[in-house]
């Protein structure tokens, strides 16, 4: 191995930044690639400099943690230990032989019509997660956005998606979205959370192990009360209404079976619906490399190594658990990469980050059980509801493929209905298609993580 081995880190969110800083501090040359024009990922998404935000810290919690990451990145960049490549959209990672056997292929800039290849001794996948979208009548209306999309508009653009909002779905993300919108001047007419408060109490021992997280949740609850936000526990969105754009939503209470209770529907006027039902790991690059998945998560060992030599993974791609867990996993991965590339065997049991990781994973597992989507949601989606908006495939067509034509997996449903054949390649509709057909949500095994111009493919050098 060379005196200064190299690591490519894909993703500049909490996990990627923590890994890059830990590895660089231990003598590894790091190339940090990210699709955004600034570091931070979705969690620490920064306003565009041209907007001149006076107090960006008002949009975030854990701001001091971000400052430490940002300052550390600046120091390592100035010292030449980290190269930060912004606007680099990675579409494939390949393993070869010889020196620097990892090839990371990316498209440059907003047009993504020019390719670049980065070579390294190892690669860390810190590609984060995407939102799980569950369809309902009217969900394609203008004014209906994902919860994370509303937060990104507020953080990145300093704009409100609307003046009167309803926040709905399930998961911890709904709390900062609702309080953020209210603090920025929107009237949040309701927060409809499908989980039951009793579910939190039943997992009190696991949750109590993280008092800082509980205090954070209590703070959000206090701000909701301060802004007069009506909280509707055990409620779900039934339909979005409007002619041309969103005008109102109907929510209804959920029974013990996860289905809506008859007679409980209420209509709430609004011009924005921010809806989310949790997050799913981004695993496209891991799949192209042949990494083993455990359910929807990339499988890693105690050092955050995948089962593919030279490939590490950290953060939400190995399981959704929040920024604190992503930071811990990134630090463990960065230390492990440095030790392995320098020819030593690390012992994660001696690292504080590894111990924190274990506690945070237990906390995340408890939250995951609490904030699962309602059990009966798929059975209540009407047949004429669009499920795949790219190809305009309805729930009825998906059900026909399974019940009448015998499709038993998402790939067959895709071939029979075109659901998942559009621009997003099923990233948005795959969870819904799987639930409607009763099929397991399986990885897509795409050869590329994003569309690639033929000219870029033709210009690629022959593999080692």
């Amino acid at each position: 191995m060379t005196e200064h081995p190299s690591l490519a880190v894909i993703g500049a969110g909490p996990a990627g930044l923590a890994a890059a800083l830990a590895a660089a501090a231990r003598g590894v040359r790091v190339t940090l690639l990210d699709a955004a024009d600034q570091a931070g990922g979705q969690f620490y998404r920064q306003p565009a400099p041209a907007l001149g935000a006076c107090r960006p810290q008002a949009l975030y919690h854990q701001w001091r943690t971000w400052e430490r990451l940002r300052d550390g990145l600046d120091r390592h960049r100035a010292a030449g230990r980290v190269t930060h490549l912004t606007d680099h959209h990675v579409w494939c990672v390949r393993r070869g032989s010889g020196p620097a056997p990892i090839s990371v292929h990316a498209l440059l800039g907003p047009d993504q019509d020019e390719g670049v290849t980065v070579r390294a001794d190892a690669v860390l996948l810190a590609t984060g997660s995407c939102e799980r979208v569950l369809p309902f009548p009217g969900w394609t209306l203008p004014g209906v956005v994902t919860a994370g999309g509303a937060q990104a508009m507020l953080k990145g653009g300093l704009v409100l998606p609307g003046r009167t909002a309803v926040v709905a779905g399930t998961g911890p993300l709904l709390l900062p979205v609702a309080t953020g919108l209210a603090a920025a001047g929107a009237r949040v007419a309701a927060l409809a959370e499908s989980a039951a408060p009793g579910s939190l109490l039943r997992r009190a021992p696991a949750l109590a192990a993280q008092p800082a997280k509980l205090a954070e949740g209590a703070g959000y609850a206090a701000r909701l009360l301060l802004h007069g936000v009506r909280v509707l526990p055990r409620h779900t969105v039934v339909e979005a209404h409007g002619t041309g754009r969103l005008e109102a939503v109907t929510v209804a209470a959920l029974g013990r079976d996860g289905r809506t209770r008859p007679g409980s529907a209420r209509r709430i006027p609004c011009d924005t619906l921010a809806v989310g039902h949790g997050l799913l790991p981004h695993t496209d690059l891991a799949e192209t490399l042949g990494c083993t998945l455990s359910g929807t998560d990339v499988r890693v060992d105690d050092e955050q190594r995948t089962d593919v030599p030279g490939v590490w993974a950290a953060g939400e791609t190995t399981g959704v658990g929040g920024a604190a867990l992503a930071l811990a996993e990134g630090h463990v991965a960065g230390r492990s990469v440095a030790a392995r590339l320098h020819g030593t065997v690390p012992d994660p049991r001696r690292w504080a980050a590894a111990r924190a990781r274990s506690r945070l994973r237990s906390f995340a597992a408890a939250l995951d059980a609490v904030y699962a989507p309602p059990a009966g949601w798929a059975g209540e989606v009407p047949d004429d509801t669009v499920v795949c908006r790219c190809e305009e495939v309805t729930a009825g067509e998906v059900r026909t493929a399974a019940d009448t034509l015998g499709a038993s997996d998402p790939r067959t449903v895709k071939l029979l209905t075109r659901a998942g054949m559009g621009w997003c390649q099923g990233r948005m509709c795959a969870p819904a298609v799987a639930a409607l057909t009763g099929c397991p949500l399986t990885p897509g095994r795409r050869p590329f993580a994003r569309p690639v111009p033929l000219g870029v493919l033709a210009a690629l050098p022959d593999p080692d």
Side-chain angles (χ1 to χ4, degrees), residues 49-189:
L51 295 175
C54 297
R55 292 194 319 108
Q57 63 270 28
L59 298 171
Y60 307 86
H61 62 284
Q62 300 180 15
W63 180 257
R64 290 184 179 178
T65 301
W66 161 244
E67 288 182 318
R68 288 195 295 271
L69 293 170
R70 180 196 62 198
D71 295 346
L73 177 61
D74 289 343
R75 286 194 303 271
H76 285 299
R77 288 176 60 195
R81 291 184 288 265
V82 174
T83 301
H84 182 201
L85 302 179
T86 60
D87 278 323
H88 278 59
H89 306 263
V90 177
W91 57 271
C92 183
V93 180
R94 295 191 297 177
R95 292 180 65 250
S97 58
I102 300 292
S103 299
V104 178
H105 303 289
L107 301 173
L108 302 182
D111 294 333
Q112 300 183 38
D113 56 1
E114 180 183 351
V116 65
T117 298
V118 172
R119 302 296 296 266
D121 296 308
V123 64
L124 170 74
L125 306 177
T127 48
S129 59
C130 57
E131 289 190 83
R132 175 163 39 198
V133 179
L134 305 184
F136 50 87
W139 74 287
T140 59
L141 277 171
V144 180
V145 297
T146 64
Q151 190 178 58
M153 292 175 68
L154 187 58
K155 287 183 176 181
L158 304 182
V159 295
L160 290 169
R163 302 304 305 175
T164 303
V166 171
V167 179
T170 190
L173 179 61
L174 301 188
L175 294 174
V177 170
T179 55
L181 292 175
R187 186 177 79 84
V188 180

Side-chain angles (χ1 to χ4, degrees), residues 126-344:
T127 48
S129 59
C130 57
E131 289 190 83
R132 175 163 39 198
V133 179
L134 305 184
F136 50 87
W139 74 287
T140 59
L141 277 171
V144 180
V145 297
T146 64
Q151 190 178 58
M153 292 175 68
L154 187 58
K155 287 183 176 181
L158 304 182
V159 295
L160 290 169
R163 302 304 305 175
T164 303
V166 171
V167 179
T170 190
L173 179 61
L174 301 188
L175 294 174
V177 170
T179 55
L181 292 175
R187 186 177 79 84
V188 180
L191 169 57
E193 166 60 69
S194 65
S199 300
L200 288 168
L201 296 176
R202 286 193 292 273
R203 289 165 178 82
L207 299 177
Q210 293 293 321
K213 289 287 188 181
L214 295 182
E216 182 183 315
Y220 284 129
R223 288 194 286 278
L224 291 174
L225 184 64
L226 176 67
H227 290 290
V229 177
R230 177 174 47 170
V231 179
L232 302 174
R234 206 67 179 135
H235 277 67
T236 190
V237 173
V238 174
E239 186 173 358
H241 311 277
T243 304
R245 75 163 286 114
L246 181 70
E247 299 170 5
V249 299
T250 295
V251 300
L254 292 167
R256 291 183 177 274
D257 60 356
R259 296 181 176 273
T260 54
R261 290 200 335 240
S264 66
R266 64 177 79 182
R267 187 177 175 121
I268 304 174
C270 61
D271 58 16
T272 297
L273 171 61
V275 61
H277 291 87
L279 304 171
L280 293 171
H282 263 311
T283 60
D284 290 351
L285 294 175
E287 292 167 22
T288 64
L289 280 161
C291 300
T292 299
L293 271 60
S294 179
T296 59
D297 309 337
V298 177
R299 184 184 299 172
V300 292
D301 64 10
D302 288 344
E303 298 179 40
Q304 299 295 140
R305 294 183 301 171
T306 72
D307 56 353
V308 176
V311 181
W312 279 254
E316 310 250 274
T317 191
T318 69
V320 175
L325 176 56
L327 287 168
E329 290 189 353
H331 188 82
V332 170
R335 293 188 64 153
S336 169
V337 169
R340 293 287 177 177
L341 292 183
H342 286 304
T344 63

